[in-house]
Amino acid sequence: MRIRAAVLREPGRPVAVEEVELDGPQADEVLVRVAAAGVCHSDVHLADGVLGNGRWPMVLGHEGAGVVEAVGERVTHVAPGDRVAFSFVPSCGSCRSCRAGRRNLCEPAGRNALAGMLMDGTSRLRGAGGEVLQHGLMTACFAERTVVAAAGAVPLEAGIPLWQAALLGCGVVTGAGAVRNTAGVRLGDSVAVIGCGGVGLQVVAAAGLAGAGRVVAVDRDRAKLELALARGATDAVDVSDEENMVKRIRAAAGGGLDWAFEVIGRPSTMRLAWDVLRPGGTAIVVGLAPVGVEVSLPAIEFLSEKSIKGCFYGSTDVADELPRLARLVASGRLPLADVISRVTGLDGVDDALERLRRGEGARTVIVMDRELAQAPELVA
Ligand code: PAD
Ligand code: ZN
């Protein structure tokens, strides 16, 4: 079938909407009519070509929600008409990582995501000239319709409009998982969140829900800090002036911190996360840095049992946890509308990427179908 989709042709060129060809679902796949999709900084990294060579041409978009239109013959967990959120790690359940309970590290899912293919190593997408297009992080949801692996479509209960549910599959799962799974924040712990954009704001809310005693929001953009305070941060430190950053963050928390989440992807802020820790504290790196970037730490400080830990997709088993997070949203305990700074149409993808590069606003939600998404008025 013919659909409209936002295609990355080549890094450095604007991401433009094209008519592309989408094949129907294979036995273990699902065809979804996309209602809405969030624009994440990882899309910027892909569009800028810094996550490795050859990751284009690609239909971008890895965070979204929609309604199932058709399912392959082996799919049993969803049926046409079901509302779903996307997961960009459709774990296989049988590789070594999955068997060990670390489904976010599913090996075939990781391999195929990197190749831009679905779980069988092939694509359902072609450009107007017949050339194969990659599926952005196995989701490719900056499009009117998409075909995803069965486990990439997670059923949603009623209760959340899809323009908000769109954020569940990346920002919310990653932010909440970083706090609950990767870290394991305990009641009363002190937490710094360095970078309070679309993902960092979810870390802030999750730290509050986990019962952190202090949640120090750190950003260089005042508007993000205000949002963070409204989402449960106890303190805000503006680092647009880099003077005495470590001291100011520690002072806000009443001393070194138990946890510091880096949600930007720069060596300097990874180092900042390390520097604000108390002895025994742990820095969690959520931010994605371009391929080839290195970070350095003062090795003597390992003596104080500080740790630094990577985080992919919040160390989450999405099939289990995404519906739980959706329940939190439906009950009003985890609001999402406040982090959506703009709602726009499919033609607005490139502008949304540009705003993220400038550090302006939190999430943009791209609405493919306003009625399906129950979305407010779109802004051009
Ligand atoms: P975003 O652009 O919405 O937020 C980044 C925030 O950092 C903004 O509020 C900026 O103002 C702030 N910022 C930037 N530079 C600095 C600085 N030097 N000092 C202080 N603040 C600064 O991005 P996002 O929230 O969509 O994504 C954040 C990162 O997380 C990004 O690297 C993305 O690729 C990564 C990510 N990782 C995973 C994962 O599984 N690990 C999942 C999703 C996103
Ligand atoms: Zn993302």
Side-chain angles (χ1 to χ4, degrees):
M1 71 202 78
R2 282 248 137 163
I3 58 160
R4 292 176 75 243
V7 184
L8 166 69
R9 281 284 162 189
E10 207 184 312
R13 264 173 62 185
V15 172
V17 175
E18 297 180 18
E19 295 248 312
V20 308
E21 195 64 37
L22 175 70
D23 292 337
Q26 303 273 341
D28 295 305
E29 295 168 0
V30 178
L31 170 68
V32 179
R33 181 158 161 218
V34 183
V39 185
C40 168
H41 213 108
S42 302
D43 296 309
V44 176
H45 293 316
L46 283 165
D48 291 346
V50 299
L51 299 184
N53 278 327
R55 303 191 72 178
W56 55 86
M58 173 187 277
V59 174
L60 287 173
H62 61 273
E63 178 187 87
V67 173
V68 173
E69 275 195 337
V71 300
E73 71 238 26
R74 280 197 292 265
V75 175
T76 54
H77 76 298
V78 288
D82 287 356
R83 292 152 31 99
V84 294
F86 298 117
S87 159
F88 61 81
V89 185
S91 48
C92 72
S94 55
C95 72
R96 191 169 156 167
S97 296
C98 284
R99 290 198 313 274
R102 303 186 72 176
R103 285 188 169 248
N104 63 313
L105 301 181
C106 171
E107 291 156 28
R111 200 167 49 238
N112 286 307
L114 195 61
M117 297 295 142
L118 294 183
M119 287 297 264
D120 70 348
T122 67
S123 170
R124 307 286 159 269
L125 287 162
R126 269 163 294 121
E131 74 284 12
V132 169
L133 301 178
Q134 297 184 25
H135 293 246
L137 299 190
M138 290 222 241
T139 308
C141 64
F142 293 161
E144 292 168 331
R145 287 178 170 75
T146 186
V147 168
V148 296
V154 184
L156 285 172
E157 290 169 24
I160 317 176
L162 294 179
W163 71 285
Q164 295 180 26
L167 304 192
L168 288 167
C170 179
V172 173
V173 159
T174 301
V179 169
R180 300 290 307 188
N181 307 326
T182 318
V185 170
R186 295 181 310 172
L187 288 177
D189 280 354
S190 55
V191 169
V193 183
I194 302 173
C196 297
V199 181
L201 287 167
Q202 302 302 341
V203 176
V204 166
L209 286 166
R214 291 222 89 87
V215 181
V216 183
V218 180
D219 205 291
R220 57 184 185 189
D221 178 28
R222 199 63 232 175
K224 303 299 178 24
L225 293 173
E226 294 302 331
L227 270 174
L229 288 168
R231 283 176 78 74
T234 57
D235 305 86
V237 176
D238 184 342
V239 292
S240 51
D241 169 6
E242 296 185 3
E243 196 79 21
N244 290 327
M245 287 188 290
V246 175
K247 220 165 147 187
R248 286 189 284 137
I249 296 167
R250 283 168 163 261
L257 288 102
D258 296 307
W259 306 98
F261 294 85
E262 198 276 357
V263 206
I264 301 168
R266 290 172 191 262
S268 61
T269 42
M270 291 175 196
R271 177 60 192 271
L272 179 63
W274 175 269
D275 287 341
V276 301
L277 295 174
R278 63 189 296 274
T282 303
I284 307 282
V285 178
V286 179
L288 208 61
V291 170
V293 166
E294 300 198 349
V295 58
S296 77
L297 301 169
I300 185 72
E301 293 183 20
F302 287 116
L303 260 187
S304 63
E305 298 198 356
K306 286 179 169 187
S307 316
I308 186 158
K309 203 173 176 189
C311 172
F312 179 58
Y313 214 12
S315 317
T316 304
D317 176 347
V318 179
D320 177 45
E321 293 179 48
L322 191 150
R324 295 169 186 272
L325 293 166
R327 235 167 278 149
L328 271 179
V329 176
S331 67
R333 299 193 64 207
L334 177 61
L336 293 182
D338 58 327
V339 309
I340 301 173
S341 46
R342 186 178 299 227
V343 184
T344 187
L346 190 53
D347 292 302
V349 170
D350 201 63
D351 283 346
L353 297 173
E354 200 46 50
R355 277 194 300 281
L356 282 175
R357 287 189 189 98
R358 288 200 301 266
E360 188 187 312
R363 274 300 197 251
T364 294
V365 166
I366 305 292
V367 169
M368 264 51 79
D369 185 322
R370 200 172 148 216
E371 200 181 313
L372 205 61
Q374 293 173 269
E377 197 85 46
L378 309 192
V379 174

